[in-house]
Amino acid sequence: MKRNIAFAVLAAMLLQLCTFAVYADDGDNSWSISYYGSFEQESERANYAANISDTASYDGSMALNVKCMAVSRDDANYIEIKNTLAGELQPGRYTLEFYVRKNSQSGGGEVHIGNTVINTEDMDKTAASAPNGSKNWKKYSASFDYDGGDNVFSFRFYSRIASYIIDNVSLTADGTGKNLIDDPGFEEYFEEPGELPDDPYDANP
């Protein structure tokens, strides 16, 4: 009798453990949003914020929205949007591409890939027609040599971002064609969609 009870308890514990493991795996986001320095304060969220939302997108239904109203840059204060990556970075030549829609008053940010830092305003920019018909998108692209560092990809924003929307991020090693960005279109992010920041092009979608 005691042996049967012990077996039943053990089986129940194993079932709970398996259930938790499945839930934890399903709930992991490929993208994480973090605030540093004074941007961490909840009272500042109206001025400094990022989220994955359905306000506007280049393709699919979701995209990354960023608002950062700091007048000048302070390296201690920034918003970081980090990707887990779908593979290991190896030294070599890479191409980075993504689509941006921003208002005319917005500056840019930085992309951090291991030890490599790319200023988004220094990237090549070409007008792009969104598959879903929305307007005012540009394709940002840059090729670079990756020479090592942590296996990390992130966007960072320090200042002058009134409205900045990013979609369809691609990071490929030359000659492979494999996108190392996990969830490049932000479609699998599991938080409820929001509306941040207000889309300056709502009247002209």
Side-chain angles (χ1 to χ4, degrees), residues 73 88 198:
R73 172 170 174 155
E88 290 290 327
D198 290 338

Side-chain angles (χ1 to χ4, degrees), residues 5 21 48 78 106 142 147-148 166 189-190:
I5 293 175
Y48 314 109
Y78 60 94
S106 286
D147 59 3
I166 298 175
Y189 195 79
F190 64 78

Side-chain angles (χ1 to χ4, degrees), residues 36-204:
Y36 295 88
S38 63
F39 291 4
E40 290 186 75
Q41 302 175 29
E42 286 294 330
S43 59
E44 295 290 349
R45 204 56 66 239
N47 296 316
Y48 314 109
N51 74 348
I52 313 299
S53 90
D54 60 356
T55 300
S57 63
Y58 176 81
D59 194 12
S61 59
M62 309 297 283
L64 170 66
N65 288 248
V66 181
K67 178 169 67 173
C68 181
M69 303 302 290
V71 176
S72 59
R73 172 170 174 155
D74 183 334
D75 285 350
N77 306 325
Y78 60 94
I79 304 169
E80 182 176 56
I81 302 94
K82 185 181 296 185
N83 189 268
T84 57
L85 291 179
E88 290 290 327
L89 292 168
Q90 302 294 334
R93 190 75 173 167
Y94 285 78
T95 297
L96 169 66
E97 296 178 345
F98 51 88
Y99 293 84
V100 171
R101 193 167 93 166
K102 67 176 186 174
N103 69 14
S104 59
Q105 298 176 345
S106 286
E110 293 177 350
V111 181
H112 289 241
I113 308 163
N115 294 331
T116 302
V117 179
I118 299 173
N119 190 311
T120 60
E121 293 305 282
D122 295 335
M123 299 176 69
D124 294 332
K125 306 175 186 66
T126 56
S129 299
N132 61 17
S134 62
K135 300 177 181 179
N136 301 300
W137 289 93
K138 288 187 177 181
K139 180 181 179 179
Y140 284 42
S141 60
S143 294
F144 63 95
D145 292 314
Y146 173 77
D147 59 3
D150 294 337
N151 197 65
V152 171
F153 176 98
S154 68
F155 290 101
R156 288 188 184 182
F157 296 93
Y158 295 85
S159 62
R160 299 181 298 110
I161 303 296
S163 176
Y164 206 89
I165 304 172
I166 298 175
D167 205 358
N168 284 28
V169 186
S170 174
L171 177 66
T172 57
D174 283 10
T176 67
K178 178 185 177 182
N179 189 359
L180 294 175
I181 300 298
D182 198 5
D183 188 18
F186 306 95
E187 298 296 324
E188 298 174 12
Y189 195 79
F190 64 78
E191 286 189 354
E192 289 296 322
E195 293 190 2
L196 174 67
D198 290 338
D199 184 1
Y201 300 111
D202 272 346
N204 184 25

